[in-house]
Amino acid sequence: MAKERGQKVIASNKRARHDYSVLDSYEAGIALMGTEVKSLRAGRASLVDAFATVDDGEVWLRGLHIPEYAQGTWTNHTPRRTRKLLLHKAEILRLIGKTKESGLSLVPLSLYFKDGKVKVELALAKGRKAHDKRQAIAKRDAEREMERAVGRARKGKW
């Protein structure tokens, strides 16, 4: 069988970019069971309530929902179990320092296959207040309107 190449997104957390200001992002592997990988290959996962914590020098992903594999037997996995994230020691130490000192959160942004292996994009993020969210929406709308105006000007429909 040929080796998989490229990147295939399984699930993305669109709400995280709305609720948090992303300061830095990391790519991490995940320690999974066989039936979890098979369920992910079917494209079934949810990052809605997921978050990461640093406990005893290890990073753990909590709240990630991977449904049970339909053809699984008694060896099937628990859908919301805590999963270990695989990062370099220097990255873990940096994350420990950032989350302790400045009150930042670790939020998963997306879950994807990269060259056949399951990866998670983990963001170091700061929570937004309601007025920050409104400003971000207004800024995005203004940029979109400027793009439309430029497009209309190029087409001569001004």
Side-chain angles (χ1 to χ4, degrees):
M1 189 168 137
K3 239 182 168 183
E4 264 188 67
R5 293 280 176 219
Q7 189 168 323
K8 178 188 168 199
V9 176
I10 303 164
S12 61
N13 192 353
K14 295 175 183 170
R15 192 86 186 142
R17 293 199 188 269
H18 179 71
D19 291 341
Y20 297 94
S21 297
V22 176
L23 305 176
D24 199 8
S25 65
Y26 299 89
E27 181 181 70
I30 310 176
L32 296 172
M33 296 174 63
T35 54
E36 290 174 321
V37 176
K38 289 181 179 233
S39 187
L40 289 175
R41 288 209 186 280
R44 302 174 64 208
S46 174
L47 288 169
V48 173
D49 296 327
F51 63 98
T53 59
V54 182
D55 301 325
D56 300 328
E58 294 179 335
V59 183
W60 298 90
L61 187 61
R62 302 175 191 278
L64 170 65
H65 185 265
I66 300 175
E68 288 186 349
Y69 182 56
Q71 285 80 33
T73 60
W74 58 273
T75 60
N76 231 336
H77 63 278
T78 309
R80 286 201 183 267
R81 74 178 187 89
T82 301
R83 295 164 178 94
K84 185 176 181 178
L85 293 180
L86 309 172
L87 289 161
H88 291 284
K89 192 67 172 179
E91 290 176 325
I92 293 172
L93 293 174
R94 193 175 313 125
L95 289 175
I96 289 170
K98 296 275 186 173
T99 54
K100 292 267 192 253
E101 74 177 39
S102 53
L104 299 176
S105 302
L106 291 172
V107 181
L109 297 178
S110 64
L111 188 67
Y112 54 92
F113 281 105
K114 183 177 182 184
D115 296 335
K117 294 181 174 53
V118 179
K119 303 286 184 180
V120 64
E121 183 182 7
L122 195 65
L124 193 61
K126 187 171 186 75
R128 283 188 182 164
K129 304 276 191 267
H131 61 86
D132 292 335
K133 292 178 191 178
R134 285 194 297 271
Q135 287 174 347
I137 291 170
K139 182 179 175 186
R140 188 175 60 230
D141 289 345
E143 287 174 358
R144 188 176 297 142
E145 190 57 40
M146 286 190 314
E147 289 292 326
R148 286 183 185 150
V150 168
R152 284 193 302 266
R154 281 189 186 146
K155 293 177 185 175
K157 297 179 182 179
W158 191 259

